[in-house]
Amino acid sequence: MNKNYTIKISLIVALGGFLMGFDASVISGVVKFIEPQFDLSKIQLGWAVSSLTLTSTLAMMIAGPLSNRYGRKLILKWAAVFYAVSAVGSALAPDYVTLVIARMIGGIGVGASLIIAPMYIAEISPAAIRGRMVSFNQLNIVVGISVAFFTNYLILHFSQLDKQWVSSLGLDVWQWRWMLGLESLPAVLYFAFLFAVPESPRWLIMKERVQEARKTLLKVVDEKQADLDILAVKESLKTENNKSRTPLSALFKPALRLVLLIGITVAVVQQITGINSVFFYAPMIFEQTGIGTDAAFSQAILVGLTNLVFTILAIIFIDRFGRKILLLVGLSGVAISMFLLAYGFSMDAAELNPWLILIGIVGFVASFAISIGPVMWVLFSEIFPNYVRGLAISFVGLINSGVSFLVQLVFPWELDAIGSSATFLIYGVFAIIGLVIIAVLLPETKGRSLEELEKQLIK
């Protein structure tokens, strides 16, 4: 097994996750500026944040089938193009509508890369290290989130300096434009790096290009294992006759009932517990404790770093302890942290303890990052059979993104209408519900080949 080659290819493909994390999180520093700039209502502000997720939701639904027809690699290249166009368009937006349109273009890239990158990595990785390899995508997402928090803070810091170069670059006036425009650089790099990536061997086998698939597999595993993998994929595709398009109705056959229920449950729970409320509005949440803008932005960096550290721990543990135990431990931590935040924000303004809120937010992010954050995409890449994998991941990804869109859209309104305490209490209740369902339904998937899992889960 050639781990170095697999790691290199997985890291390149997972750069799409970095762009997704950066694109999604950079808006957390922008909302403070665009709300007064464009005189936005709370729902308009929520729309500016969530519009990216709306189009990513739609892109997820078609990304899988398109990748089945045209290949995983081509779809990822187009995702890089959409990221770059969105970054430039957002930075130069003259009005609110243009900003929203530019972010919606970026959402297409987010949806495509979020679906195809983990799918591709799962299809090229040996079973023994698949969990860690797929988790690279989540790792890059959290790196992107952390970098976005950090660059937002740097831009805010530089904008306050009394220097000629600051005014020459417009940093003192257009902080939010610089925050959004920086993404164009990694987007161009991602597009260039993808030329070094081979096509997915499983997709090549689906297209009856077996020799090309074997050539790629030999860079990952030895000759005997490559032949075994090819035979296993061929066997799993027999009943579907290598069709590149699978009707949506195929997902609702009785044989897929269990895996679809598991997929939908995990997809909903990951977002309905409020992770993107924290990532997309972190400075806004911290400012409610009265600590000031600079401190709020710096604490957002701590959130990003916590996310990064615990995601790395998840990558270390996911193939050692398994997917299910991480989910159970992590969701328990999510619930406890949300109840702590609900208690903290229930205090009067004079009694509110900023440290308690910080502990609650950091605890929530740590619990999420070591469990359902990276584990969800690993599960999605494992539990669905090969002949519907692209469509199924797109479908549950659609649900995941749809819930994320609604959470982001209403969060500013929720804070204004029902308050922070009630909002976080609701998130905690959803975490408990998800914990119970996952404990009952989810089997362990670690160390099993995709074909073995298909035989176990598909009746």
Side-chain angles (χ1 to χ4, degrees), residues 376-456:
M376 184 186 79
W377 293 109
V378 174
L379 283 176
F380 285 176
S381 68
E382 291 178 330
I383 63 175
F384 296 111
N386 190 71
Y387 70 92
V388 294
R389 184 172 298 119
L391 179 63
I393 293 178
S394 290
F395 181 73
V396 292
L398 169 74
I399 294 173
N400 176 263
S401 190
V403 175
S404 175
F405 167 75
L406 292 175
V407 169
Q408 296 167 44
L409 177 65
V410 303
F411 185 70
W413 173 84
E414 281 182 303
L415 295 185
D416 188 56
I418 66 174
S420 301
S421 180
T423 299
F424 290 118
L425 179 63
I426 292 170
Y427 291 159
V429 170
F430 279 125
I432 293 294
I433 295 172
L435 177 66
V436 172
I437 294 174
I438 288 171
V440 173
L441 292 180
L442 182 67
E444 184 52 70
T445 62
K446 73 167 183 173
R448 313 287 297 280
S449 74
L450 299 181
E451 286 65 42
E452 286 174 336
L453 289 172
E454 181 174 339
K455 289 178 181 179
Q456 178 188 359

Side-chain angles (χ1 to χ4, degrees), residues 111-124:
S113 62
L114 198 57
I115 291 296
I116 305 305
M119 182 195 303
Y120 175 96
I121 296 170
E123 291 177 345
I124 202 171

Side-chain angles (χ1 to χ4, degrees), residues 68 72 123 202-203 205-206 232-234 236-237 240 242-243 246 382-391 450-451 454 458:
N68 284 346
R72 320 309 194 209
E123 291 177 345
R202 290 178 182 272
W203 182 82
I205 296 170
M206 289 174 64
V233 174
K234 283 183 175 180
S236 71
L237 292 171
E240 294 298 316
N242 280 354
K243 290 191 297 183
T246 304
E382 291 178 330
I383 63 175
F384 296 111
N386 190 71
Y387 70 92
V388 294
R389 184 172 298 119
L391 179 63
L450 299 181
E451 286 65 42
E454 181 174 339
I458 310 304

Side-chain angles (χ1 to χ4, degrees), residues 64-145:
L66 284 176
S67 75
N68 284 346
R69 175 176 293 188
Y70 300 110
R72 320 309 194 209
K73 183 176 176 178
L74 181 63
I75 302 304
L76 289 173
K77 284 184 177 179
W78 274 108
V81 171
F82 285 123
Y83 277 125
V85 171
S86 172
V88 175
S90 299
L92 300 178
D95 51 46
Y96 171 69
V97 173
T98 306
L99 174 64
V100 169
I101 291 173
R103 282 187 54 76
M104 292 177 80
I105 291 172
I108 300 174
V110 168
S113 62
L114 198 57
I115 291 296
I116 305 305
M119 182 195 303
Y120 175 96
I121 296 170
E123 291 177 345
I124 202 171
S125 301
I129 60 172
R130 188 194 315 118
R132 278 172 287 170
M133 294 301 100
V134 175
S135 294
F136 280 162
N137 194 62
Q138 182 65 24
L139 175 62
N140 273 14
I141 290 174
V142 302
V143 170
I145 291 170

